[in-house]
Amino acid sequence: MNTKLRFAFAIFTSCVVFAIQSFALPAPPASADGLIIVECPPLPVEPQPAPGILPPLTPRIVPPIRRDCSTYLAVKNHYVTVTIENQIARTRIDQTFLNESTYALEGTYIFPLPEDAAISEFALWVDGKKVEGKVLDKNEARRIYEDIVRRQRDPALLEYVGRNAFQARIYPIPPQSEKRVEIEYAQILKAESGLVRYVYPLNPEKLSPKPLKNVSVTVSIRSNAALKAIYSPSHDISVTRKGDYEARVGYEASNVKPDRDFVLYYSVAPDEIGLNLISYREGSEDGFFVMLVAPKIQVESTRVVDKDVILVLDVSGSMQGVKIEQAKRALYYVLDQLNPNDRFNLVVFSTSTQVYAASLRPASAREDARNFVSRLRAGGSTDINRALLEAMQSADRERPTIVIFLTDGLPTTGETNAQKIIANVTNAAPKNVRLFTFGVGDDVNTILLDSLAEKLRGASGYVRPNEKIDEVVSAFYAQVSTPVLADVTMDWGSARVYDVYPYPLPDLFAGTQLIVAGRYRESGATTITLKGNVNNAPQSFRYGDVTLRASGGDDAIPRLWATRKIGYLLNEIRLHGESREIVNEIVALAVRYGIVTPYTAFLVDESKDVLTESGRAKIAAAPTKAPAPVFGPGAVQRSIEQSQLRGANIAPAVPTAAPSGSGGMTQTSVAPVQAVGNKTFLFRNEVWTDAQFDPSKMTTRKIEFGSDAYFALLANNPDVGKYLALGVRVIVVVNGTAYEITNTGAGASDASAVPTAVPATPTPAQVSRNASAPTPTARQSTPASPTDFTCGGLLLGVLVLVGLGWRS
């Protein structure tokens, strides 16, 4: 090989090595509920060419680091078991890591501790052997997080700034093997206004490179005082009560990436009916609250409200076969569960109606009623209007009355106009009647059933084709079989409360809890009075230790309130028709809180202007779709979804669809909407943009990612960390000031952009965004350096030299 070619090959080799090292992607941290920061081993060194082939200027080939190593470390299983006894919580975590690579790994395990938690007796085992570790205070932990952010240019860990942490070394993690990690710690839970709060840091799981095969959290609660409300604003939990003093709470999921901490509230009180309030307020904005009202599980017979139950069953021809047999079993269950002082009657209908008894019968007559039900046969048409009027006429106006109405079809005889049926039944019904409708199958008029239930302060339910009538009805009746307070109202004292949902308030039943969401203007202490009737006698319960926060609190509450209000507004449109004012309100709420509705699918469309008032007004004024059908599978599903929104106990997950422009992102599919605490961020023009930022009215103060000003912003206000963790390009509004995090690669920014002390915002509970938040990589977002152009020029020169050498 001649000298020209040897020189050209040397330059080419240098540039290739430089390109490999410069353009390799930074390794994201693998994680369990703690974080394992993996130290990637180097690739094997390529063999050097034989002496004499290349000139002395040949560079030494430096082995590039394996940039993909952490992507092979997955969390297989994650199980959490918690026991809480008289406010002392012991948490045990059992998780399994899986190293699917062909080489051993080592790393540092960091477990972010719950905020403001008094942790003791912390211990960690790896494969059954106890491992020594170190508890880091929040300053030490922050320095570690910042160092990782500087080196990897990945801000994801900034969300945990402000927390203490536990650190331990884990080595080795053998190739193609599992590593079991167990953690145990104890903490004393604080009680505030009768509410005890437990938080488990499940949120870091979203950084796992793969979904978890299994995740579960099981909490056993024991208390010397009676347990009342048990509630999670973060997860859909199951609650099994063992009397008034014990309960078991469970959450399970599979093939998921948990994106928020597990938060659990429970209350203890000797009162017959417990009442507790969780509130949140930020700045000068009106506050938000969730109120939990829960009676005892075991209620004295004198405190049980005597009630009447009227069962109305469709026995038309379409109910033949399996349907009528399941419906009979549902009626048997209700009859068997009547309380001793309850009364009942039955109305069955098809083309005509048949009433079981001329007047309400005592519960002791249930056997004769069972015989009546067993002889029922299906046949004929469907006269819904006449059947419900018969039921209303047999009601006693002096006692609370539950009417359970089951039908599988549309009105086909008698009065068939839905609006006239609604008016007839509403006018005939006594004020003490609560109507609960069940549509069997999909060929039912959802507007008719939902409107009747709404006007008569009940609820509607649907038995889908793959469900059993008896199972659905019996599950419902188990919840309403023991009323303890009827005609519930609330006096809020000096709190100046508004926009309360559900509206109107439902009756209160033993073994259940009423969850109310609303807003308030006045902070501070107030006295709330719960009013209602017990066996026609007025009852009131006063709660004088209720406080509405002036700042801070649980930042999951605003989205929950917005969810319920949007559900209420959508139902108003569906039942009573569309109005421009309601549509405008839905659009504004959806943008602010990141909730997708039939009117706000534009949230996932980057081309839509939703950040300015004029843009939102234009969207709201757009022509709407044709009215939705009132019957059929689509109508039933729509009714169910809106009912879920109105009665939601947790806010819905953010939408998961890929933005139209995905350049500069490490994920191929991300959610273009992210809910972070009390804020919503929209992915617009490659930037995560705070929904409170209005570009027509606000200008941004630019801060370069990774600069001194960037970390100064974080140090002055650690609560901003969870917003900065979205990515390297973010616009966030903090107390009226819009900060824009840029990623130009300049490495410097205007330090004056950060005030000496950023005005502090309340410290909320961590309610995180979706796991797939895009983080632009260094390769994708950093402009080419002069060296890049030099190497490019040299490579061009190589081609020229090679050409000349070949010719010669």
Side-chain angles (χ1 to χ4, degrees), residues 231-541:
Y231 169 65
S232 172
S234 61
H235 291 78
D236 187 9
I237 59 173
S238 63
V239 179
T240 304
R241 293 179 180 264
K242 303 176 182 179
D244 284 322
Y245 302 94
E246 290 187 41
R248 184 181 179 89
V249 177
Y251 163 73
E252 291 186 6
S254 58
N255 299 316
V256 295
K257 284 189 176 184
D259 62 350
R260 62 186 76 180
D261 288 344
F262 178 83
V263 181
L264 180 69
Y265 289 94
Y266 71 91
S267 65
V268 294
D271 305 324
E272 291 184 28
I273 300 176
L275 185 147
N276 302 91
L277 212 70
I278 310 168
S279 58
Y280 175 85
R281 190 164 194 165
E282 182 177 14
S284 59
E285 187 179 11
D286 287 353
F288 303 81
F289 72 87
V290 166
M291 183 180 68
L292 310 175
V293 183
K296 289 182 177 180
I297 303 301
Q298 299 172 343
V299 182
E300 298 176 6
S301 58
T302 57
R303 304 299 304 177
V304 175
V305 176
D306 298 333
K307 68 181 183 301
D308 295 335
V309 178
I310 301 175
L311 299 163
V312 185
L313 176 62
D314 181 350
V315 292
S316 61
S318 57
M319 287 288 290
Q320 289 180 353
V322 175
K323 288 182 183 179
I324 191 66
E325 295 305 318
Q326 292 180 358
K328 287 180 181 181
R329 289 198 293 270
L331 267 58
Y332 294 152
Y333 177 87
V334 174
L335 291 170
D336 291 342
Q337 298 302 313
L338 293 172
N339 296 322
N341 294 328
D342 289 348
R343 298 181 302 185
F344 73 94
N345 205 346
L346 295 94
V347 178
V348 294
F349 71 98
S350 56
T351 306
S352 59
T353 61
Q354 182 181 2
V355 181
Y356 164 67
S359 61
L360 291 159
R361 303 292 293 154
S364 58
R366 61 171 60 91
E367 282 305 317
D368 185 64
R370 288 175 63 96
N371 293 331
F372 172 82
V373 172
S374 68
R375 297 191 298 269
L376 294 176
R377 299 292 181 267
S381 301
T382 309
D383 192 343
I384 290 176
N385 182 71
R386 184 175 176 184
L388 286 173
L389 290 179
E390 290 274 10
M392 299 308 159
Q393 289 172 7
S394 64
D396 185 341
R397 297 178 182 270
E398 299 300 321
R399 293 192 6 152
T401 300
I402 292 176
V403 176
I404 299 176
F405 175 67
L406 291 90
T407 183
D408 76 331
L410 306 172
T412 57
T413 188
E415 181 57 72
T416 59
N417 183 283
Q419 294 304 318
K420 289 184 179 179
I421 295 174
I422 294 169
N424 293 341
V425 176
T426 303
N427 293 333
K431 292 183 179 180
N432 58 309
V433 167
R434 303 290 182 264
L435 176 61
F436 297 89
T437 63
F438 288 90
V440 179
D442 293 335
D443 294 326
V444 291
N445 188 319
T446 58
I447 300 298
L448 173 62
L449 299 183
D450 293 349
S451 297
L452 288 170
E454 178 201 41
K455 290 182 178 296
L456 298 183
R457 297 184 65 176
S460 57
Y462 294 90
V463 184
R464 303 309 298 272
N466 60 337
E467 295 177 321
K468 295 182 178 180
I469 301 170
D470 50 329
E471 292 179 355
V472 174
V473 174
S474 59
F476 152 76
Y477 188 75
Q479 296 180 331
V480 302
S481 62
T482 310
V484 294
L485 195 65
D487 303 320
V488 175
T489 59
M490 204 74 63
D491 183 340
W492 302 97
S494 60
R496 297 181 65 193
V497 165
Y498 65 100
D499 258 355
V500 175
Y501 303 97
Y503 176 81
L505 296 175
D507 297 339
L508 195 58
F509 301 91
T512 66
Q513 61 186 17
L514 173 60
I515 300 176
V516 181
R519 303 203 65 179
Y520 63 92
R521 294 188 176 91
E522 300 295 331
S523 302
T526 188
T527 296
I528 295 178
T529 304
L530 175 66
K531 299 179 182 180
N533 292 313
V534 178
N535 294 326
N536 291 325
Q539 297 284 323
S540 63
F541 305 86

Side-chain angles (χ1 to χ4, degrees), residues 41-55:
L43 287 166
V45 177
E46 296 293 334
Q48 295 284 349
I53 293 181
L54 295 178

Side-chain angles (χ1 to χ4, degrees), residues 24-39:
L25 304 183
S31 67
D33 49 282
L35 308 170
I36 291 186
I37 311 302
V38 175
E39 297 178 8

